[in-house]
Amino acid sequence: MREYLLTLCITAAVTYLLTGPVRKFAIAAGAMPEIRARDVHREPTPRLGGIAMFGGLCAGLLVAAHLTNLKDVFEVSNEPRALLSGAGLIWLLGVLDDKWGVDALIKLGGQMIAAGVMVLQGLTILWLPVPGVGPVSLTPWQGTLLTVALVVITINAVNFVDGLDGLASGMVCIAAAAFFMYAYRIWYGYGLEAAAPATLFAAVLMGMCLGFLPHNAHPARIFMGDSGSMLIGLVLAAGAISITGQVDPDAMKLFEGSEQAAVHATVPVYIPLLLPLTVIAVPFADLVLAIVRRTWRGQSPFAADRGHLHHRLLEIGHSHSRAVLIMYFWSALIAFGAVAYSVNSAGVWFVLAIVALSGVGLVLLLLPRFTPRVPRWAEAFVPPRYRRANRIARAERAAEAAAEPVAAAAGAGSAASESELAKPEPVGSGVNGGASNGASGGANGVNGATAIGDRSRFTHRRRIGTPQ
């Protein structure tokens, strides 16, 4: 555990320290695209944050390769090298997209190539634990297709949710923490060495997200861009592929008896790991809803819009920070709930706790939709927005704001005629004052030492209630 924590800390430190220089480089390179219609930030913000995250990934794997216990992972398994190869390709594709823009189909092809490179180096799904059947061996083509599909879906799920400051990095960090807890339990608790690479991937992924999050929290000073979102999505998928298709469930021996019964007994353990989409359920739900919404409208599934879950939270009335925290809450509830269910699936208190926390999440989600009436004696114990005086003041300000356009439109015509009547005659400013105005060749020229031309002797007059 100490070596895993050391790897995590070094990855986070390198990512954090590299993000500042990368931000300056992104500004100098012009990687600051214009604000689009679907964006929620107000000022152009540099991208290319994935460069710092890739540097943290390389540093974490390099340090782990020289530690006493973790170096065995690199000697026994080729999966860390496979991850680094696929990550390098997907990172390079993301950098090109952040700087110059890449077509959606080209990005999809690049994602499939990166997944194929990992498959060629041994990072693939060999079998699946199926309840009631046992471990089902996959042919090389089946394993390759399933691995590529899992990588592509996970990458795009993370990429789709990257729409608010700190959202993608925080949600993936939560998912990686839950994944690390379970992978470490499989490796250390049951002595299965095949789970060691997945545990290492989760620790490195946590470090990448934690190191980048201080720079990306609202208001963000830099965005990770596609170079970062696709990178962390690939690392998360690689960990799930490693532990799902490489660990033999019968080797855990949780149930003495037939092989089918052993697999059936370990189903609560392997449900969160069959697909990483149970760990990143919120980004996956956003991905599915986006595809259905865009296809229904006759658009491309890769066409950008403002219909993502985080956009809807802002439309409901949540602030930027509160929307991000709500997404964190639901991600943590699903991810850690799945891990807790894998440990103890028969506990009644566990089910009650999940139900209670889900109720709390729904209340937080719908909070801006209602403003309950609070008694005067309880106003000191609630936020200011629920107090009666503040509600009345907000209503008055809203009424004034609604009346201003009407008053401006009503006074527009009369204000124009009044300005014509009140237009003064120009006054000369020669050396002899206003008397030299006629001799200077006309009042419309530039006169005397002021050299500012004609100006009014009267201050600007406007009707009360009309904008300046």
Side-chain angles (χ1 to χ4, degrees), residues 32 55 76 130 141 192 253 276 375-376 385 400 403 433 437:
M32 297 177 62
V76 176
V130 179
W141 277 108
L192 299 181
K253 298 180 180 180
R376 291 185 179 275
R385 66 186 300 266
E400 293 176 358
N437 202 19

Side-chain angles (χ1 to χ4, degrees), residues 104-105 160 290-291 293-305:
L105 293 180
F160 275 31
I291 293 176
R293 180 178 63 253
R294 295 166 184 173
T295 306
W296 183 265
R297 295 175 180 174
Q299 300 175 344
S300 170
F302 301 98
D305 58 12

Side-chain angles (χ1 to χ4, degrees), residues 44-347:
T45 305
R47 294 186 180 181
L48 294 178
I51 297 178
M53 304 181 82
F54 184 73
L57 171 66
C58 296
L61 294 178
L62 180 62
V63 170
H66 292 83
L67 296 178
T68 304
N69 296 318
L70 290 184
K71 68 179 181 180
D72 296 337
V73 177
F74 295 83
E75 297 174 357
V76 176
S77 174
N78 197 41
E79 293 181 6
R81 299 179 183 85
L83 170 66
L84 190 59
S85 301
L89 289 177
I90 205 70
W91 169 77
L92 181 60
L93 176 65
V95 169
L96 296 177
D97 183 51
D98 290 339
K99 181 61 178 72
W100 292 284
V102 178
D103 185 72
L105 293 180
I106 297 178
K107 285 198 296 185
L108 180 62
Q111 295 168 6
M112 297 175 67
I113 292 175
V117 168
M118 294 194 300
V119 170
L120 291 177
Q121 299 190 43
L123 186 56
T124 182
I125 297 177
L126 302 178
W127 57 71
L128 287 177
V130 179
V133 178
V136 177
S137 299
L138 302 177
T139 63
W141 277 108
Q142 291 174 341
T144 299
L145 291 177
L146 186 58
T147 302
V148 171
L150 187 60
V151 171
V152 171
I153 291 174
T154 308
I155 287 175
N156 286 281
V158 176
N159 191 20
F160 275 31
V161 82
D162 184 23
L164 296 180
D165 298 348
L167 182 58
S169 54
M171 292 181 65
V172 173
C173 183
I174 293 172
F179 195 85
F180 174 81
M181 292 173 60
Y182 187 79
Y184 185 79
R185 175 173 176 261
I186 296 293
W187 174 73
Y188 184 77
Y190 296 99
L192 299 181
E193 294 292 337
T199 311
L200 175 62
F201 297 165
V204 172
L205 182 58
M206 289 175 60
M208 294 165 59
C209 295
L210 289 176
F212 184 73
L213 192 56
H215 298 273
N216 190 231
H218 182 69
R221 295 185 293 273
I222 185 174
F223 293 151
M224 66 174 66
D226 284 358
S227 59
S229 61
M230 293 195 299
L231 176 63
I232 60 179
L234 181 136
V235 177
L236 183 61
I241 291 169
S242 175
I243 200 169
T244 303
Q246 304 287 338
V247 177
D248 186 3
D250 193 45
M252 300 173 66
K253 298 180 180 180
L254 295 180
F255 187 88
E256 296 296 337
S258 64
E259 185 176 354
Q260 296 182 3
V263 174
H264 181 73
T266 58
V267 165
V269 175
Y270 279 87
I271 285 179
L273 304 177
L274 290 176
L275 291 175
L277 304 179
T278 54
V279 180
I280 54 170
V282 174
F284 178 65
D286 193 17
L287 171 64
V288 173
L289 292 175
I291 293 176
V292 172
R293 180 178 63 253
R294 295 166 184 173
T295 306
W296 183 265
R297 295 175 180 174
Q299 300 175 344
S300 170
F302 301 98
D305 58 12
R306 287 183 59 88
H308 293 290
L309 295 178
H310 48 270
H311 291 137
R312 296 181 181 273
L313 288 176
L314 295 178
E315 292 175 358
I316 289 175
H318 292 288
S319 64
H320 192 292
S321 300
R322 186 186 297 174
V324 172
L325 292 177
I326 289 176
M327 298 285 280
Y328 285 176
F329 174 84
W330 282 105
S331 298
L333 180 61
I334 296 174
F336 289 100
V339 173
Y341 179 76
S342 67
V343 176
N344 184 13
S345 60

